[in-house]
């Protein structure tokens, strides 16, 4: 069942989203060559705790970090590690969740470390733009497939691979709620979007191919092709005034 949030719920959820967005912004500003992903995770963790919130991901399904930090060919769910060092030219996805006021905010962005290749720059631009293509379709009365299709169309027409083993999701009192929000689909199909629905839209896009595999650590998902992968995500609310991004800092 898809849970519908009241205006009061949405106001509380916006606060959680603001904290998640703030943590993500700080992470992006903090990335430097030579730093470990564990150091970056600590920055995210400390910010969320300072705001009086709880990191949604810590302990979720046994995940050890506060943020999922995935570099280059890693798609999602990278475990922060002291011996994992960010290098100049890397692209670094930081996925952050904050639980506050009884609600979660879930957001992600892929950041460049210093100068990155033209291929990497284009990937980041396309993935980010596809998120906003999807958000634009999240209107009262539309279908979930309209959101999915907009993302797929934008990325596939530019030759990029769309990860199909993972997708976005409803979000609210639980980190993962109904419905699933795939990054591919048919326009005009799927659940009807109504006011008060809150969903995390999160395209995961590869330079080459759709296929992914999970590393031996049981968490880290990476591209089979070895190509770069990017991930952008916002938690949004569907309202009569259009989609509202909840995870803006
Ligand atoms: Mg998510």
């Amino acid at each position: 069942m898809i849970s519908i949030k009241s205006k009061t719920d949405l106001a509380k959820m916006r606060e959680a989203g603001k904290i998640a967005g703030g943590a993500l912004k700080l992470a992006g500003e903090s990335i430097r060559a030579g730093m470990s992903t564990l150091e970056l995770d600590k920055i995210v963790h400390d910010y969320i705790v300072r705001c009086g919130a709880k990191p949604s991901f810590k302990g979720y399904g046994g995940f050890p970090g506060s943020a999922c930090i995935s570099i280059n060919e890693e798609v999602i769910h990278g475990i922060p590690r002291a011996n994992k060092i960010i290098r100049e030219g890397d692209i670094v996805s930081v996925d952050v969740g904050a639980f506050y006021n009884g609600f979660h905010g879930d957001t992600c962005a892929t950041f460049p470390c210093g100068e990155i290749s033209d291929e990497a720059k284009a990937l980041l631009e396309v993935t980010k733009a596809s998120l906003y293509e999807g958000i634009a379709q999240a209107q009262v009365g539309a279908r979930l497939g309209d959101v999915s299709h907009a993302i797929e169309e934008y990325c596939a027409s530019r030759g990029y691979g769309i990860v199909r083993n993972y997708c976005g999701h409803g979000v609210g009192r639980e980190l993962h709620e109904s419905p699933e929000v795939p990054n591919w689909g048919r326009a005009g199909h799927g659940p009807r979007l109504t006011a008060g629905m809150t969903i995390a839209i999160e395209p995961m896009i590869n330079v080459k191919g759709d296929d992914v595999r999970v590393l031996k650590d049981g968490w880290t998902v990476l591209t089979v092709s070895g190509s770069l992968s990017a991930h952008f995500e916002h938690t949004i609310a569907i309202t009569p005034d259009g989609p509202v991004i909840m995870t803006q800092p």
Side-chain angles (χ1 to χ4, degrees):
M1 213 190 72
I2 299 172
S3 82
I4 300 299
K5 282 79 181 177
S6 68
K7 275 202 171 143
T8 318
D9 292 342
L10 291 182
K12 287 183 183 172
M13 201 165 154
R14 175 72 183 102
E15 294 300 311
K18 214 182 265 181
I19 295 169
L24 182 65
K25 181 167 180 277
L26 178 61
E29 291 163 357
S30 305
I31 288 174
R32 315 216 173 325
M35 107 191 288
S36 75
T37 57
L38 190 66
E39 285 173 72
L40 189 56
D41 182 69
K42 190 174 173 1
I43 291 169
V44 167
H45 176 272
D46 291 352
Y47 178 88
I48 292 172
V49 169
R50 253 200 328 274
C51 294
K54 265 168 58 178
S56 305
F57 300 168
K58 202 169 179 67
Y60 188 90
F63 189 80
S66 294
C68 298
I69 305 177
S70 312
I71 300 179
N72 295 335
E73 76 281 7
E74 296 172 352
V75 180
I76 47 169
H77 299 168
I79 298 175
R81 293 187 193 283
N83 61 1
K84 185 143 191 198
I85 306 301
I86 298 166
R87 312 265 176 218
E88 168 84 17
D90 283 348
I91 57 170
V92 184
S93 299
V94 183
D95 196 347
V96 173
F99 182 71
Y100 185 70
N101 270 337
F103 290 92
H104 293 275
D106 189 2
T107 184
C108 177
T110 304
F111 300 103
C113 177
E115 268 305 302
I116 59 171
S117 68
D118 289 343
E119 180 184 68
K121 266 182 219 163
L123 173 68
L124 298 199
E125 277 166 27
V126 166
T127 308
K128 187 175 187 181
S130 77
L131 168 59
Y132 287 93
E133 292 288 318
I135 290 173
Q137 298 300 320
Q139 306 285 348
V140 171
R143 300 275 192 164
L144 191 61
D146 299 336
V147 174
S148 302
H149 179 75
I151 295 168
E152 178 182 21
E153 170 61 24
Y154 190 86
C155 297
S157 67
R158 287 164 175 78
Y160 289 88
I162 295 138
V163 175
R164 289 164 195 270
N165 297 45
Y166 302 88
C167 55
H169 49 92
V171 54
R173 288 184 176 83
E174 304 293 332
L175 180 58
H176 294 111
E177 299 183 348
S178 286
E180 285 197 332
V181 182
N183 297 307
W184 68 95
R186 288 198 294 162
H189 286 73
R192 178 125 9 229
L193 303 181
T194 58
M197 280 177 63
T198 46
I199 55 176
I201 304 177
E202 49 176 326
M204 293 155 247
I205 305 299
N206 304 338
V207 169
K208 231 171 51 196
D210 301 353
D211 291 343
V212 296
R213 64 188 179 90
V214 180
L215 211 61
K216 279 195 287 284
D217 66 15
W219 280 103
T220 314
V221 176
L222 57 171
T223 59
V224 167
S225 67
S227 82
L228 296 175
S229 187
H231 181 200
F232 283 83
E233 174 181 27
H234 272 307
T235 296
I236 65 131
I238 291 148
T239 81
D241 305 321
V244 174
I245 298 176
M246 307 293 268
T247 37
Q248 216 83 261

